[in-house]
Amino acid sequence: MRFESVLINGDWRPAKSVGSFQAYDPSTGDPLPDAYPVSSWEDALEALTAGRAAALELAAASPDVLADFLDLFARRVVERADDLAALAHRETALPVEPRLRMNELPRTANQTHQAAAAARDRSWCRATIDTQLNIRSKYAPLGGPVVVFGPSNFPLAFNAAGGGDAVAAIAAGNPVIAKGHPGHPATTRLFAEIALDCLAEAGLPRATVQLVHHLRPEDGLRLVAHPWVGATAFTGSRAAGLKLKEAADRAGKPIYLEMSSVNPVFVLPGAMRERGESTAAELFASCSLGAGQFCTKPGLVVFLDDDAGRAFVDAARGRFEQPPTGYLLGRGLVDSLKTAVAELVRQKAEILVGGRELDGVGFKFANTLLAVQARDLLRSPDVFRQEAFGTATVLVLASDVGEMTAIAQALGGNLAGSIYSHSGGEDDGLYRTIEPFVRRSVGRLLNDKMPTGLAIVPAMVHGGPFPATGHPGFTSVGIPASMLRFAALRGYDNVRPERLPEELRDKNPTGRMWRLIDGEWTQADVQG
Amino acid sequence: MRFESVLINGDWRPAKSVGSFQAYDPSTGDPLPDAYPVSSWEDALEALTAGRAAALELAAASPDVLADFLDLFARRVVERADDLAALAHRETALPVEPRLRMNELPRTANQTHQAAAAARDRSWCRATIDTQLNIRSKYAPLGGPVVVFGPSNFPLAFNAAGGGDAVAAIAAGNPVIAKGHPGHPATTRLFAEIALDCLAEAGLPRATVQLVHHLRPEDGLRLVAHPWVGATAFTGSRAAGLKLKEAADRAGKPIYLEMSSVNPVFVLPGAMRERGESTAAELFASCSLGAGQFCTKPGLVVFLDDDAGRAFVDAARGRFEQPPTGYLLGRGLVDSLKTAVAELVRQKAEILVGGRELDGVGFKFANTLLAVQARDLLRSPDVFRQEAFGTATVLVLASDVGEMTAIAQALGGNLAGSIYSHSGGEDDGLYRTIEPFVRRSVGRLLNDKMPTGLAIVPAMVHGGPFPATGHPGFTSVGIPASMLRFAALRGYDNVRPERLPEELRDKNPTGRMWRLIDGEWTQADVQG
């Protein structure tokens, strides 16, 4: 059997494989024809060797060249939009329109242009200069390649070879070793092909983007812990993430993980009375986006078990009773969701709607609505801190505001959390009570809207406390902040002027880069 | 026997102890009279409980109140300078003058005032505002106490209860649980006493600073991994640091470690010809500072084995032959240094001077100069990546510049590294060859000076790649950057104006705080 090639050191070549895999069409449940290799450690080591050399070259490259590459890459991705969307659709069954073609692809190109702009602007590196002592510092490339593990659920925007992590790493001056998600290898391959063409045109090292389609788990652990790696970015399951984290941590290698989240939503009593029905509609829309396979899907909805709350339950039930419009991305996700529902039921959650795999072709699961009494949740909060990936959410009925507060206090780490409150201020007292507990448990706090939908803007935070991520001080979305994951803080003490990186020389290299000179942010040169 | 008290939740009370310890006078080797408790887990848990409550209070406190506390604390430390220096001298045998009284103590007060200024200024939190979408973010307190493990070698500036980590954590809005270093418990106690008085006067929670003198190793591991902890800062040995890192990492708790460094110095051939003798004097001065017990002590000096290089060896030998002027801080350090020298000798390093414990009273070790051929070092680089704490350094004689480059390529992670080069440019080619390898291995790169001596300025980087620290993106010295270790990145999406933290409201809370509004750094309000 002929396997698809891997991209190592600028060449598409047969993998030194130790196995093979095929992607699936989730709408039929059948494997797709192309066979992809599971790479051996030898492939990984060759990628590391080339990546380490490329890291030194990139660190010396002009940010303008990085930016030119990224802009070109973004344009080419748009030119190939139909092909990328078609491949992604075949491998994920996510709809071409509007999801892939109109939504995720433009977002992907947009964030790549933003990464280009940030590289060109240079302010992201936070150049800091103390003129009197000639001590200077900035964030700089890591000195080794960044390994990117792409997730299943965003074949374009989080693609291992062309998504947000990859372009943030490159914008910060690091080469990327993409470990593609085995659910969409053809999509990832096309990103890597486009990238390789653009690298050649931009004059960057051809090992700036490399791709292995799959690795044995033990080789993945070895890769993230290798001394030559700069850092790793992983988006995926908690189980896989924790193993990679342990391996990287032990080796002292930075690893940034996004590992699941339940994204609690609190609907305070006044808001429930005021707009319970529309909130139920928002909940269903948010939950069912991408067949519930969003990291920010609301998985826990907390409210009072009063008349308005019970009306909300009925309204939600009506929405969830519709047949699902999408597919789960893989067989494994069907099984995980089954298991998750069964565990919730074991802890006294009741299935109001769905809760089961659907018959017929493809990976289909009924829209699933569960309910639990707050006191039952509080008896086993751990189970309710587990993500149930898919169109599934748990309604939590609290007998009083004390129970709502207790749940806020018992939250685990989450990417996002939302509080709906009365527009006229009737909930303000309870908001003040609950907010500090929700706040400390989430990376992004929302008011009066559901957590899905990430705007690609500098202030976006897609991060949060463990185990939603591996570190609460970073974000994987939002440029330039997301680039800081792929940077080392570097000081220069008494270094001669001509040896300093341009960003730290007296003359502002762009004439408008922001720098912190003697305690003041300025776009000016160092005054002689 | 009566033990000294611990400070838990604002009260000095007897520890629930599981053992006791005494500090030593390093100049005599004898134990000091006071007995201190080893706290049980119960003490740690009480501190955590109080710290968690204090964390919520502090997060809601005005930065001006934090700043007032820190300024007051700094002033009181200066008022008690004689007492602090006397206690620290008794427990460490570091000279009162100039080291403790004139150098370390003013630095300690200075960095505390800087922390106050940073808290008051608020720019450190990098408020980022996207006005169109009403998405906002900033760094914020962690939501739990910061545990600070103080090191032995800076009883004042890195003191667990009053040093740089503690004040940076508080300036960022977090309470501190100090785990004092058992080498200087009376010094740490006095810092905690001063802090407690100042907290009361400033109106901050009394659990903002708590102190346990010592913990069993297993309780230390439990503490840094506890769900209520915000983060941990540790400065100390690699062995202890790695254990704490593993425990904290597994629990997903941020931990910042400074765990030893050899701080390589490259003297390029032109510089050696030009000023080898003065460089030897600088080397000895830097090596012997604090009896060699600086994290940034130069531990590896690389140069050509030519006439100038051999003259440098002779000059260095002359310097190191002086009797040592200081003491090692503890019995354990004498043993560690012995072991380190023996391991270096086993790997073909030759002892040129010293290499042995000195007879007589106190913890004394001869100034120690070793030499090794570059090719021998390259055969077992790991041994030469181990810190030998004390006045000890290894001269590395390279037979050509290729060997010098190979050593640069083989460096481990270090806090600092220096390159001496000819003032007229004769070494510039070799500098360009070697610099990228030194650069990627160190947090702070110096030219033409030794790595000891940390200026307390915003651009200072006291960090570096593993295993010098646990993460290359942070610094433990240099305000405000060091505060970012103790902060979570927090987003606000569609949050109502009056519910935003002051730093993210339309109106600039100080009138001069720097914020990134719609991509531009500005001190202005959001324009309506």
Side-chain angles (χ1 to χ4, degrees):
Chain A
M1 195 166 193
R2 211 186 132 269
F3 299 151
E4 299 296 327
S5 296
V6 291
L7 174 59
I8 310 246
N9 199 14
D11 292 318
W12 288 100
R13 64 149 173 84
K16 292 162 186 168
S17 64
V18 291
S20 72
F21 71 98
Q22 288 163 278
Y24 282 76
D25 177 347
S27 71
T28 62
D30 294 329
L32 293 166
D34 303 336
Y36 289 84
V38 177
S39 275
S40 62
W41 175 247
E42 220 176 325
D43 279 350
L45 193 59
E46 283 184 36
L48 279 167
T49 307
R52 181 157 164 91
L56 279 177
E57 286 185 69
L58 279 192
S62 159
D64 291 340
V65 178
L66 298 174
D68 290 346
F69 161 73
L70 290 165
D71 276 334
L72 181 64
F73 189 27
R75 289 196 305 271
R76 291 285 162 80
V77 162
V78 170
E79 286 168 23
R80 303 295 298 273
D82 290 338
D83 297 332
L84 285 163
L87 287 175
H89 171 67
R90 190 172 72 138
E91 296 184 322
T92 63
L94 292 168
V96 170
E97 300 286 359
R99 162 67 190 262
L100 293 169
R101 188 66 185 76
M102 286 295 108
N103 202 326
E104 194 176 337
L105 193 126
R107 170 187 160 172
T108 307
N110 173 25
Q111 71 198 7
T112 305
H113 281 305
Q114 286 193 33
R120 197 172 275 120
D121 175 76
R122 310 195 194 195
S123 303
W124 75 272
C125 76
R126 292 173 176 158
T128 303
I129 299 178
D130 295 306
T131 58
Q132 264 201 307
L133 296 167
N134 187 23
I135 295 178
R136 303 171 190 231
S137 68
K138 67 185 278 280
Y139 289 97
L142 289 162
V146 170
V147 181
V148 178
F149 288 77
S152 62
N153 60 338
F154 278 84
L156 310 178
F158 284 80
N159 188 280
D165 288 338
V167 299
I170 294 169
N174 309 279
V176 162
I177 298 175
K179 202 297 268 175
H181 192 279
H184 50 255
T187 310
T188 306
R189 184 186 48 195
L190 181 49
F191 269 111
E193 285 172 3
I194 298 170
L196 185 62
D197 284 348
C198 298
L199 288 169
E201 286 184 50
L204 284 178
R206 289 161 61 83
T208 299
V209 176
Q210 303 184 86
L211 169 64
V212 293
H213 296 291
H214 209 353
L215 289 170
R216 287 178 297 198
E218 62 268 34
D219 288 331
L221 301 181
R222 209 168 156 189
L223 179 58
V224 302
H226 196 278
W228 296 349
V229 159
T232 295
F234 167 90
T235 308
S237 76
R238 191 183 295 182
L242 289 177
K243 281 182 199 140
L244 290 169
K245 181 178 188 313
E246 190 185 349
D249 284 344
R250 194 180 306 126
K253 287 292 169 185
I255 184 165
Y256 303 94
L257 310 113
E258 193 207 286
M259 299 184 286
S260 84
S261 175
V262 300
N263 311 305
V265 175
F266 287 77
V267 186
L268 305 192
M272 193 59 103
R273 283 192 306 276
E274 185 182 47
R275 53 189 203 277
E277 186 146 345
S278 66
T279 303
E282 288 175 38
L283 172 66
F284 177 70
S286 180
C287 265
S288 59
L289 216 55
Q293 298 162 114
F294 270 44
C295 335
T296 49
K297 181 205 72 177
L300 207 61
V301 189
V302 186
F303 52 93
L304 277 192
D305 187 7
D306 59 9
D307 288 346
R310 283 184 293 268
F312 173 80
V313 174
D314 289 340
R317 192 196 295 257
R319 299 273 170 180
F320 276 77
E321 275 167 351
Q322 313 175 37
T325 51
Y327 297 89
L328 290 180
L329 292 159
R331 177 79 249 161
L333 292 180
V334 177
D335 296 336
S336 301
L337 188 49
K338 261 191 228 169
T339 306
V341 170
E343 280 182 25
L344 291 165
V345 168
R346 201 169 307 128
Q347 300 305 329
K348 305 211 176 176
E350 180 195 353
I351 296 175
L352 301 182
V353 180
R356 61 182 203 293
E357 186 177 357
L358 292 181
D359 298 334
V361 294
F363 304 137
K364 277 230 160 187
F365 204 96
N367 294 331
T368 296
L369 189 66
L370 299 110
V372 69
Q373 297 298 317
R375 76 189 73 89
D376 290 324
L377 181 153
L378 289 167
R379 267 190 216 108
S380 46
D382 267 354
V383 174
F384 294 88
R385 292 178 188 145
Q386 311 285 330
E387 185 178 51
F389 209 59
T391 304
T393 197
V394 180
L395 307 179
V396 185
L397 292 97
S399 58
D400 55 30
V401 296
E403 278 189 357
M404 289 183 78
T405 307
I407 285 169
Q409 289 176 299
L411 294 172
N414 286 283
L415 296 170
S418 182
I419 308 178
Y420 280 69
S421 60
H422 186 268
S423 62
E426 291 180 20
D427 292 318
D428 284 3
L430 183 55
Y431 185 96
R432 280 192 294 273
T433 302
I434 283 180
E435 191 266 357
F437 303 117
V438 179
R439 179 64 280 186
R440 74 176 174 200
S441 307
V442 305
R444 181 169 57 112
L445 176 74
L446 302 100
N447 273 188
D448 307 308
K449 70 186 229 201
M450 291 291 160
T452 46
L454 294 179
I456 310 299
V457 294
M460 177 51 62
V461 173
H462 191 55
F466 183 86
T469 81
H471 194 297
F474 294 93
T475 177
S476 66
V477 172
I479 289 167
S482 70
M483 293 161 63
L484 293 174
R485 294 174 298 160
F486 308 123
L489 185 59
R490 292 198 168 157
Y492 293 81
D493 191 335
N494 199 40
V495 170
R496 299 186 193 173
E498 70 279 10
R499 295 171 174 174
L500 289 166
E502 285 182 342
E503 294 80 7
L504 294 179
R505 293 185 191 168
D506 285 358
K507 185 167 170 49
N508 188 310
T510 65
R512 56 182 312 284
M513 175 191 179
W514 286 97
R515 308 191 294 177
L516 188 65
I517 300 179
D518 296 330
E520 294 292 322
W521 286 100
T522 175
Q523 294 174 298
D525 297 337
V526 170
Q527 303 307 316
Chain B
M1 195 168 194
R2 212 187 131 267
F3 298 152
E4 299 297 326
S5 296
V6 291
L7 175 59
I8 310 246
N9 199 15
D11 291 318
W12 288 99
R13 64 149 174 83
K16 292 162 185 167
S17 64
V18 291
S20 71
F21 71 98
Q22 288 162 278
Y24 282 76
D25 177 348
S27 71
T28 62
D30 294 330
L32 294 166
D34 302 336
Y36 290 84
V38 177
S39 276
S40 62
W41 175 247
E42 221 178 323
D43 279 350
L45 193 58
E46 282 184 35
L48 280 167
T49 307
R52 182 158 164 91
L56 280 176
E57 286 186 68
L58 278 193
S62 159
D64 291 339
V65 178
L66 298 174
D68 290 346
F69 160 73
L70 290 165
D71 277 333
L72 181 63
F73 189 24
R75 290 196 304 271
R76 291 284 162 80
V77 162
V78 170
E79 286 169 23
R80 301 294 299 272
D82 290 337
D83 297 332
L84 284 163
L87 287 174
H89 171 68
R90 192 172 72 138
E91 296 184 322
T92 64
L94 292 167
V96 169
E97 302 285 0
R99 161 70 189 261
L100 293 169
R101 188 66 185 78
M102 285 295 108
N103 202 325
E104 194 176 339
L105 193 126
R107 169 185 162 175
T108 307
N110 173 24
Q111 70 198 8
T112 306
H113 281 306
Q114 286 194 32
R120 198 172 275 120
D121 175 76
R122 309 194 193 197
S123 303
W124 76 272
C125 76
R126 292 172 177 162
T128 303
I129 299 178
D130 296 305
T131 58
Q132 265 201 306
L133 297 166
N134 187 23
I135 295 178
R136 303 173 189 230
S137 69
K138 70 186 275 281
Y139 290 96
L142 289 161
V146 170
V147 180
V148 178
F149 288 76
S152 63
N153 60 339
F154 278 84
L156 309 178
F158 284 79
N159 188 280
D165 288 338
V167 300
I170 294 169
N174 308 280
V176 162
I177 298 176
K179 202 297 267 173
H181 192 279
H184 51 254
T187 310
T188 306
R189 183 186 51 194
L190 182 49
F191 270 110
E193 284 172 3
I194 298 170
L196 185 62
D197 284 348
C198 298
L199 288 169
E201 285 184 50
L204 285 178
R206 288 162 60 83
T208 299
V209 176
Q210 302 184 86
L211 170 64
V212 293
H213 296 290
H214 208 353
L215 289 170
R216 287 178 298 199
E218 62 268 34
D219 288 331
L221 300 180
R222 209 168 156 188
L223 179 58
V224 302
H226 196 278
W228 296 349
V229 159
T232 295
F234 167 89
T235 308
S237 75
R238 192 183 294 183
L242 289 177
K243 280 183 199 140
L244 290 169
K245 180 177 189 313
E246 189 184 351
D249 284 343
R250 195 181 305 128
K253 287 292 170 185
I255 184 164
Y256 302 94
L257 309 113
E258 192 207 286
M259 297 185 287
S260 84
S261 175
V262 299
N263 310 304
V265 175
F266 288 76
V267 186
L268 305 192
M272 194 58 103
R273 284 193 304 276
E274 184 182 46
R275 53 191 204 277
E277 185 145 347
S278 66
T279 305
E282 288 176 38
L283 172 66
F284 177 71
S286 180
C287 265
S288 59
L289 216 54
Q293 298 162 112
F294 270 44
C295 335
T296 50
K297 181 206 72 177
L300 208 60
V301 188
V302 186
F303 52 92
L304 278 193
D305 187 5
D306 59 8
D307 287 347
R310 284 185 291 270
F312 173 80
V313 174
D314 289 340
R317 193 196 294 256
R319 299 273 170 181
F320 277 75
E321 274 167 352
Q322 312 175 38
T325 51
Y327 298 89
L328 290 179
L329 292 158
R331 177 80 246 159
L333 292 180
V334 176
D335 297 336
S336 302
L337 187 49
K338 260 192 230 170
T339 306
V341 170
E343 280 182 25
L344 291 165
V345 169
R346 200 168 307 129
Q347 300 304 330
K348 305 210 176 176
E350 180 195 353
I351 296 175
L352 301 183
V353 180
R356 63 184 201 293
E357 185 176 357
L358 293 182
D359 297 335
V361 294
F363 304 137
K364 277 231 161 186
F365 205 95
N367 295 332
T368 296
L369 188 67
L370 299 111
V372 69
Q373 297 298 319
R375 76 189 74 91
D376 290 324
L377 180 153
L378 289 167
R379 268 190 216 110
S380 46
D382 266 354
V383 174
F384 294 88
R385 292 178 187 145
Q386 310 286 329
E387 185 179 51
F389 209 58
T391 305
T393 197
V394 180
L395 307 180
V396 185
L397 290 96
S399 57
D400 55 30
V401 296
E403 278 189 356
M404 289 183 78
T405 308
I407 286 169
Q409 289 177 298
L411 294 172
N414 286 284
L415 296 169
S418 182
I419 307 178
Y420 280 69
S421 59
H422 187 268
S423 62
E426 291 180 18
D427 292 319
D428 284 4
L430 183 55
Y431 184 96
R432 281 191 294 272
T433 303
I434 284 180
E435 191 267 358
F437 304 118
V438 179
R439 180 63 281 185
R440 73 177 175 200
S441 307
V442 305
R444 181 168 56 113
L445 176 74
L446 301 100
N447 274 188
D448 307 307
K449 68 186 230 202
M450 292 290 160
T452 46
L454 294 178
I456 309 299
V457 295
M460 177 50 61
V461 173
H462 192 54
F466 183 85
T469 81
H471 194 298
F474 294 93
T475 177
S476 67
V477 172
I479 290 167
S482 69
M483 293 162 64
L484 293 175
R485 295 173 298 161
F486 307 123
L489 184 59
R490 291 195 168 160
Y492 293 81
D493 191 337
N494 199 41
V495 169
R496 299 185 194 174
E498 70 279 10
R499 294 170 174 174
L500 289 166
E502 285 182 343
E503 294 80 7
L504 294 179
R505 293 185 190 168
D506 285 357
K507 187 169 169 45
N508 188 311
T510 66
R512 57 181 311 282
M513 173 190 179
W514 286 99
R515 307 190 295 175
L516 188 66
I517 300 179
D518 296 331
E520 294 291 322
W521 286 100
T522 173
Q523 294 174 299
D525 297 337
V526 170
Q527 303 307 316

